[in-house]
Amino acid sequence: MFKPNFGASLHIFKVEIGGDAQTTDGTEPSHMHYPDDQNYFRGYEWWLMKEAKKRNPNIKLVGLPWAFPGWIGNGKNWPYDFPDVTAYYVVSWIIGAKQYHDLDIDYVGIWNERAFDATYIKVLRHTLDRLGLNNVGIIAADGQWEIAHDMVVDPYLNDAVQIIGAHYPGTLTVEDAVSTGKKLWSSEDYSTFNDEIGGGCWARILNQNYVNGNMTSTISWNLVASYYEQLPFGLEGLMTAKEPWSGNYIVSSPIWITAHTTQFTQPGWFYLKTVGHLEKGGSYVALTDRMGNITIIIETMSHDHSVCIRPPLPKFNVSAQNATFKLDGSFNDLKSLQVWYSKLCTNATKPTLFTKKAAIPVKDGSFTLELNVDEVYTLTTLKTGQKGSYPNPPESQPFPRKYKDDFNVRNPPFSEAPYFADQSGVFEYFTNTSDPGDHVFTLRQVLTQRPITWATDSYQAISVIGDYSWSNVTITCDVYIETPDTGSVFIAARIDQGGSPAYLAKGIFLWVFADGTYKVTADLLGKIILRKGLSGVRARHWHTLTLRVEVRGRVILYFYHLSCFLKFQLFQLAAKIKRRGNPVLDPL
């Protein structure tokens, strides 16, 4: 991903500024759950930014909020009523990155794919400048191009924004954006399965975002598909590493398509004006460091082999062709260019990915290439590129059939427990020093206020763990309800929804409540009640919940067991319900 002249050799790394809310595949914890709470070690982003900087000290770092903790909105699902508070929160993250991790953040965004507020942007710029963070640029507004019109008519807003960033622009920009004279970025793009068609999508937009839209940076969502595949947008990273229990990973074609550009250019290089479309389809771009080096990237992706997940792609044709290039000016004296080549295939033919070919002669500043369909070429004066090698990854393995975690980690490297994927709420390691028994080390849900959401978050706190394919499963968990009267907890199996639509999940849910009642439901909303009654559960005592689900043909049997450390009650029930579909994940 990050090492220069190896693999993707990324120039820019963009992370989410966690906001305690669901942001597609899970919840990222905030550095400030509450106004008097600051912790700059929550989440994986700090670690990953440091790993990126270890490999490439020059990589540019970008932070963008998708959601905000609830205190920022003072009870409203809106972050802009108190712009100085929101600016303080975001700038605290930037300062914390430097103070605790020696990370210099280069750019910061506003609110991912949501409305922007001109007053807030100006306050954020003023706050950054007042605190000596003049070098941190603002990217706005990570949606469409609407902000460009406001910048044209508001010179103070125009001065506050360094980069206009749009998401999934379809390689096109708008006149207002160009007229601002600002750098234009596709600040989120791709979001496509990382198969050969995904590689073709990535090759096409990396070139044509500049050719058609003057965008000088294209940022992939997402970096690595490191989340349960059945969550939304599974396998939509540049590569896949979704089995931390096995260590298996898959280096996919988008990694090598990225290398065609990133291994032979750097931030600070300049696109030449002589870029464009090839006569029979495809495109080419050329960049220079203005120190005698030039890199030319050519792609001939066909329509059906380069469709991105969004937006819709109009029909076009590409066919084989010979293309002659003429180098003028200081490049006219070049004698040869290094050549790197990829051929993407969607049939049984094995693709050719990032292969070094013989240098191509340049005569009188001219050379000709025979181009076929679905190819990528890089021609460059640089000799530093390499594909390199890496060990075979460990074999893929399913999630362990038997798994147990007592959370006995005295100095955890992360705030979250391994393999758990929070879908709403935030679960963190918590050392319960007041407990004299078996519950000193725990996993605790720490939010008590609903965040400013990006998606339609569930009103219940949810974390998922396990294997999509499980049918017969037993879950046992010790639970402690902290809130008297209104508190509750559930465990569930055979869940059919995660990510943004998690609130609609169906499955088998065992709920217990602090008022001493329980119920079993077939949905998270609690509308399909299978059983209810008294449990004897109460707040501020530990209880053990067990839920066992068995599938016999088209019948699901479920058994549940509630026990308290002070008194014991047992309920058992076998109920027949129609199967509603495949399970996804088992939340705990």
Side-chain angles (χ1 to χ4, degrees), residues 429-466:
Y429 281 113
F430 175 68
T431 302
N432 183 20
T433 55
S434 64
D435 191 289
D438 298 330
H439 301 103
V440 174
F441 299 100
T442 65
L443 192 67
R444 186 189 198 192
Q445 200 291 118
V446 299
L447 299 187
T448 60
Q449 183 178 15
R450 187 171 176 82
I452 296 173
T453 58
W454 182 80
T456 306
D457 285 31
S458 169
Y459 281 88
Q460 297 81 14
I462 305 167
S463 193
V464 296
I465 186 171

Side-chain angles (χ1 to χ4, degrees), residues 289-401:
D289 62 357
R290 292 184 173 176
M291 297 173 62
N293 289 306
I294 186 172
T295 292
I296 303 167
I297 304 110
I298 304 163
E299 60 81 21
T300 58
M301 294 300 115
S302 61
H303 176 278
D304 292 349
H305 295 170
S306 68
V307 177
C308 303
I309 193 170
R310 64 177 82 90
L313 181 62
K315 282 289 185 181
F316 61 86
N317 295 313
V318 179
S319 57
Q321 59 194 301
N322 290 333
T324 298
F325 294 83
K326 182 73 170 70
L327 304 178
D328 288 330
S330 60
F331 303 119
N332 184 259
D333 296 330
L334 291 175
K335 302 302 181 185
S336 66
L337 291 168
Q338 305 296 309
V339 180
W340 291 81
Y341 171 77
S342 292
K343 170 72 173 181
L344 294 173
C345 302
T346 57
N347 50 29
T349 306
K350 186 176 180 179
T352 300
L353 295 173
F354 200 61
T355 299
K356 194 175 191 307
K357 300 174 75 73
I360 188 170
V362 179
K363 185 176 181 181
D364 297 328
S366 181
F367 64 91
T368 299
L369 280 176
E370 182 180 334
L371 302 174
N372 291 303
V373 179
D374 295 333
E375 294 181 333
V376 182
Y377 277 90
T378 297
L379 302 103
T380 180
T381 54
L382 298 179
K383 299 181 180 180
T384 52
Q386 60 174 332
K387 188 168 187 177
S389 62
Y390 51 91
N392 290 327
E395 291 294 322
S396 175
Q397 298 288 339
F399 193 92
R401 294 288 296 174

Side-chain angles (χ1 to χ4, degrees), residues 12-15 60-64 93 105 107-108 139 185:
I12 299 174
F13 180 31
K14 180 178 181 179
V15 303
K60 302 295 183 183
L61 298 178
V62 184
L64 173 65
W93 184 86
I105 304 302
Y107 300 98
V108 66
I139 302 175
W185 286 9

Side-chain angles (χ1 to χ4, degrees), residues 238-302:
L238 295 179
M239 61 177 286
T240 300
K242 59 184 176 66
E243 295 181 6
W245 50 88
S246 73
N248 176 261
Y249 61 91
I250 300 171
V251 181
S252 307
S253 62
I255 289 289
W256 304 115
I257 295 303
T258 306
H260 273 280
T261 295
T262 54
Q263 286 205 24
F264 308 104
T265 61
Q266 289 296 324
W269 281 46
F270 294 84
Y271 279 93
L272 300 180
K273 296 296 184 182
T274 51
V275 301
H277 293 276
L278 298 167
E279 182 179 352
K280 295 186 178 181
S283 65
Y284 63 95
V285 295
L287 300 97
T288 179
D289 62 357
R290 292 184 173 176
M291 297 173 62
N293 289 306
I294 186 172
T295 292
I296 303 167
I297 304 110
I298 304 163
E299 60 81 21
T300 58
M301 294 300 115
S302 61

Side-chain angles (χ1 to χ4, degrees), residues 77-122:
N77 199 48
W78 188 249
Y80 298 138
D81 281 352
F82 307 95
D84 54 332
V85 173
T86 308
Y88 161 73
Y89 167 79
V90 170
V91 173
S92 294
W93 184 86
I94 296 170
I95 293 173
K98 181 64 175 178
Q99 181 177 349
Y100 292 96
H101 303 285
D102 197 27
L103 294 168
D104 293 304
I105 304 302
D106 297 285
Y107 300 98
V108 66
I110 306 304
W111 188 12
N112 182 70
E113 295 176 351
R114 295 295 180 263
F116 66 89
D117 182 86
T119 298
Y120 166 66
I121 294 173
K122 297 171 193 175

